[in-house]
Amino acid sequence: MLDKHSQFMKLAIDEAWKYQLLTYPNPAVGACVVKNETVLSVQAHKQAGMPHAEVLALKDAYLKEYPDSPLSDIDDSFGIHNYLYKNHKNFFKECEIYVTLEPCNHTGKTPACAMLLESVGIKKVYIGTLDPNSQASGGIQRLNKASIEVVTGILKEQTDNLLYPFTKWHSDKFVFFKMAMREDGSVTGGYITTKDSLSLVHEIRTKIDLMVIGGETVRVDRPTLDARYAKVNKPCNILIYSHNKEFDETIPLFKVPNRDIDIVNKLDIIDQKNFVMVEGGYKMLESVKQLCDYLILFVSHKKNFDKKFECESLGFSKVYSYKINHLDEIVYLKNNMRD
């Protein structure tokens, strides 16, 4: 059984995974504010340029005590920072915050979270993973100078796993293989998962630098591969991996405007990108497995099967999973050969 500190950190971790890959080029980060061992708020960073997890968690905690505060109508990072700086009323002096990643000490599109925690007089900060980004690190030192107690390494293995895509694309590139399957491991026969999963995939497509797909899949499935179910339908560029460069130009993916499409028989172009998604089935997975950092499975539980497919049999190790809804589960598996 987890101790209380691990339980609070786990809440932050679970919330952050819901936004994994959607925060590119920022890391997925979660935060949990606790007062007298009571959880006041759990939040996560949701999109680059938007408030960080700590900011949203402090805002929600404050609104628990002051629900009629004008803060409820403030959504931008600088606005939330400024309001709490001027109006915190010492509310946070008995609060503790659990953060999956060291609070940033850098002002860019958003203000420094360490500065906000210092300004509101937070009692104690628990951290999972230290920030590997030299530009944003230094939060712990700032908090220590402000006489705020800091504890590091809470559920560090889990917070490291959460941060892994960020560390990969920050240092080199992050390549992941996405596949939808049923409980028994079958992957053919039209749409497998629900629209919730499809919407999440489309949101991820708006973030990636490149999508790779096999020529056989293009010819047989005749996909569109757009992002029509995302909040903003931003088409991703496509690389078709095929030795035969002849395709029916009426296939829908060729009709999507504002995208580049390349047809190649080698995957060298991947080395020029930071964030790459590969889609396909088992055959494609075997062809590109050595290039993929993660395997991300969208598993449908619409139908129960006597024999369940063992995801780790594909040569990847499971690092996290959660239910998107009562029918769909997303499973993240890491290629240990890519460390």
Side-chain angles (χ1 to χ4, degrees):
M1 183 174 178
L2 295 177
D3 62 66
K4 65 179 182 180
H5 299 303
S6 297
Q7 290 178 37
F8 296 141
M9 184 63 79
K10 185 67 163 58
L11 292 175
I13 291 169
D14 290 343
E15 189 66 19
W17 272 103
K18 297 176 185 177
Y19 299 93
Q20 183 64 275
L21 309 184
L22 300 178
T23 60
Y24 177 80
N26 289 355
V29 179
C32 174
V33 174
V34 176
K35 187 175 185 178
N36 299 324
E37 299 190 9
T38 298
V39 175
L40 298 184
S41 62
V42 182
Q43 274 289 353
H45 182 45
K46 298 175 174 63
Q47 182 179 329
M50 301 298 287
H52 289 182
E54 302 96 311
V55 179
L56 293 174
L58 291 175
K59 174 184 175 180
D60 280 6
Y62 186 87
L63 290 174
K64 287 280 181 65
E65 183 72 14
Y66 305 103
D68 297 324
S69 167
L71 180 61
S72 61
D73 297 321
I74 302 175
D75 296 321
D76 70 285
S77 296
F78 284 95
I80 297 170
H81 274 247
N82 290 335
Y83 186 89
L84 289 176
Y85 175 74
K86 296 175 182 177
N87 302 280
H88 59 78
K89 303 176 183 178
N90 291 319
F91 169 71
F92 297 101
K93 67 179 182 179
E94 296 301 323
C95 291
E96 301 173 331
I97 189 168
Y98 294 77
V99 191
T100 61
L101 179 65
E102 177 184 0
C104 65
N105 194 36
H106 167 72
T107 297
K109 292 182 179 179
T110 62
C113 293
M115 179 178 66
L116 179 60
L117 293 171
E118 175 189 357
S119 299
V120 302
I122 198 83
K123 179 181 178 181
K124 198 169 184 177
V125 180
Y126 295 88
I127 296 170
T129 299
L130 302 185
D131 197 330
N133 181 3
S134 59
Q135 186 180 28
S137 63
I140 290 177
Q141 288 83 350
R142 180 171 197 140
L143 294 169
N144 285 335
K145 285 182 180 178
S147 299
I148 296 171
E149 186 176 355
V150 177
V151 178
T152 63
I154 307 296
L155 293 186
K156 184 179 183 301
E157 183 178 355
Q158 294 187 37
T159 56
D160 284 351
N161 283 335
L162 175 67
L163 190 64
Y164 181 76
F166 171 77
T167 59
K168 284 293 293 183
W169 68 53
H170 184 71
S171 62
D172 179 21
K173 61 182 178 298
F174 179 71
V175 182
F176 67 97
F177 194 101
K178 171 261 169 185
M179 184 163 60
M181 66 166 55
R182 300 175 186 85
E183 280 188 0
D184 67 341
S186 58
V187 299
T188 58
Y191 284 120
I192 293 174
T193 55
T194 67
K195 189 175 178 180
D196 287 342
S197 289
L198 190 59
S199 296
L200 177 55
V201 171
H202 282 213
E203 290 290 352
I204 293 171
R205 285 177 183 171
T206 68
K207 309 298 181 183
I208 59 176
D209 298 321
L210 183 70
M211 180 193 294
V212 180
I213 190 167
E216 182 179 352
T217 298
V218 172
R219 294 184 180 92
V220 173
D221 294 348
R222 301 180 64 86
T224 304
L225 302 180
D226 63 359
R228 61 190 179 278
Y229 295 123
K231 294 182 181 70
V232 178
N233 187 355
K234 175 177 172 262
C236 55
N237 294 329
I238 302 289
L239 187 150
I240 301 174
Y241 182 45
S242 176
H243 291 285
N244 179 1
K245 295 192 175 185
E246 297 298 320
F247 286 88
D248 179 356
E249 293 294 328
T250 66
I251 293 173
L253 75 85
F254 292 106
K255 301 298 184 181
V256 176
N258 302 315
R259 77 162 17 146
D260 296 328
I261 300 175
D262 290 305
I263 304 170
V264 299
N265 58 15
K266 293 193 299 184
L267 296 175
D268 298 350
I269 193 173
I270 287 179
D271 291 331
Q272 303 170 28
K273 307 296 180 180
N274 285 101
F275 191 17
V276 179
M277 175 164 68
V278 187
E279 288 201 21
Y282 292 116
K283 184 177 179 181
M284 184 66 171
L285 178 60
E286 282 302 314
S287 298
V288 302
K289 181 187 290 187
Q290 73 279 5
L291 301 175
C292 297
D293 300 297
Y294 260 28
L295 168 62
I296 303 179
L297 300 177
F298 286 76
V299 182
S300 171
H301 298 282
K302 291 179 185 177
K303 180 181 177 182
N304 290 320
F305 294 88
D306 293 333
K307 188 175 181 181
K308 313 293 185 184
F309 181 75
E310 293 293 335
C311 296
E312 291 188 337
S313 66
L314 296 172
F316 293 74
S317 298
K318 179 179 174 181
V319 294
Y320 192 81
S321 69
Y322 73 95
K323 286 287 191 74
I324 298 174
N325 55 35
H326 70 289
L327 293 175
D328 293 352
E329 179 183 14
I330 182 169
V331 183
Y332 294 88
L333 300 106
K334 182 179 176 182
N335 187 347
N336 294 320
M337 298 300 292
R338 295 281 293 163
D339 282 341

